[in-house]
Amino acid sequence: MIGFEVHPRKRAISNEFVQKFLRIPVANVSDCMSRMTAGGARLRPMHDGTPMGGPALTVRTRPGDNLMVHKALSLAQPGDVIVVDAGGDLTNAIIGEIMTSHAQTRGLAGIIINGAIRDSGTIGRGSFPVYAAGVTHRGPYKDGPGEINCTVSLDGMTIEPGDLILGDDDGLLCVPYDQAQAILDAATAKHAAEEKMLADIAAGKLDTSWIDARLKALGCL
């Protein structure tokens, strides 16, 4: 039927990569991706801020409908992050406490909803990662249509099934499957450099000579 598709996921980022990226702030990874990729400032952590990382299991659904999200929960493997593009509509909640509890019990790494959630108090007190654009008490419909393991886009951030999804207090980021090693190498070096800067600040040794050098190059000094 047109609008109803469940595709197989052909690949997924390995847990080895997930664990290495979880040691690095999302902002450092973002800097190494030329600051060109982001899941949008609307998608905020609804939980206690525990970092999130895992391969994407993607869902595209009609706004306000969660039938295919239920199906995705049954297909997801431990460690997966379910990424739901519900059109950004905030009229109806796509998930709440029951589906979140189910996901946590099944060992998923998190859920992203480009739309609304409910039971925000319970979710907010928990450590299971949930990102969403808003909150409403109005529940979802269960009629479809929808598609699983398709390409989705969250505010311009394209996500393919199996790509690495990262999240922390600063928001969400997708690391493309084929670029994971190169981005990991760059982000690890970036994080080490920032750790050194913080140590220099604490020791009163921060080198700020780059500021005047930059201004001179711009013709200001």
Side-chain angles (χ1 to χ4, degrees):
M1 182 183 296
I2 294 174
F4 289 86
E5 295 283 350
V6 178
H7 306 283
R9 187 172 65 183
K10 298 179 181 179
R11 62 186 187 181
I13 200 76
S14 70
N15 184 61
E16 179 182 1
F17 271 119
V18 173
Q19 296 307 314
K20 289 178 179 179
F21 271 99
L22 281 172
R23 303 170 191 159
I24 306 171
V26 169
N28 288 164
V29 182
S30 177
D31 284 350
C32 295
M33 296 176 69
S34 299
R35 303 176 176 91
M36 292 290 288
T37 302
R42 298 179 308 107
L43 296 173
R44 305 302 308 154
M46 297 291 173
H47 59 297
D48 68 358
T50 298
M52 177 187 70
L57 192 159
T58 61
V59 182
R60 182 187 297 119
T61 185
R62 178 172 67 93
D65 193 290
N66 74 356
L67 175 61
M68 296 303 264
V69 183
H70 280 282
K71 180 60 177 176
L73 276 173
S74 72
L75 294 174
Q77 299 297 309
D80 281 351
V81 175
I82 293 182
V83 182
V84 182
D85 181 6
D89 183 77
L90 304 181
T91 306
N92 298 83
I94 299 297
I95 66 166
E97 180 182 4
I98 290 175
M99 294 180 74
T100 300
S101 297
H102 185 201
Q104 186 170 14
T105 299
R106 297 202 66 241
L108 273 61
I111 302 178
I112 300 167
I113 305 292
N114 185 18
I117 67 164
R118 65 180 180 178
D119 303 320
S120 60
T122 301
I123 292 171
R125 291 188 292 271
S127 61
F128 181 75
V130 176
Y131 290 77
V135 175
T136 179
H137 56 78
R138 295 176 63 176
Y141 301 101
K142 293 175 171 59
D143 304 306
E147 191 173 2
I148 295 175
N149 282 326
C150 57
T151 302
V152 298
S153 179
L154 306 182
D155 281 3
M157 183 176 73
T158 302
I159 302 169
E160 300 282 353
D163 283 349
L164 172 61
I165 302 296
L166 300 172
D168 63 15
D169 287 332
D170 286 337
L172 298 165
L173 184 63
C174 174
V175 176
Y177 180 94
D178 292 331
Q179 299 177 31
Q181 185 63 63
I183 294 172
L184 175 63
D185 292 343
T188 299
K190 172 70 173 176
H191 185 46
E194 290 204 356
E195 290 288 289
K196 182 180 184 303
M197 286 179 65
L198 289 170
D200 288 345
I201 289 171
K205 298 178 180 179
L206 182 65
D207 181 8
T208 60
S209 61
W210 68 270
I211 301 172
D212 284 349
R214 179 62 176 156
L215 289 172
K216 184 176 180 179
L218 292 169
C220 182
L221 295 178

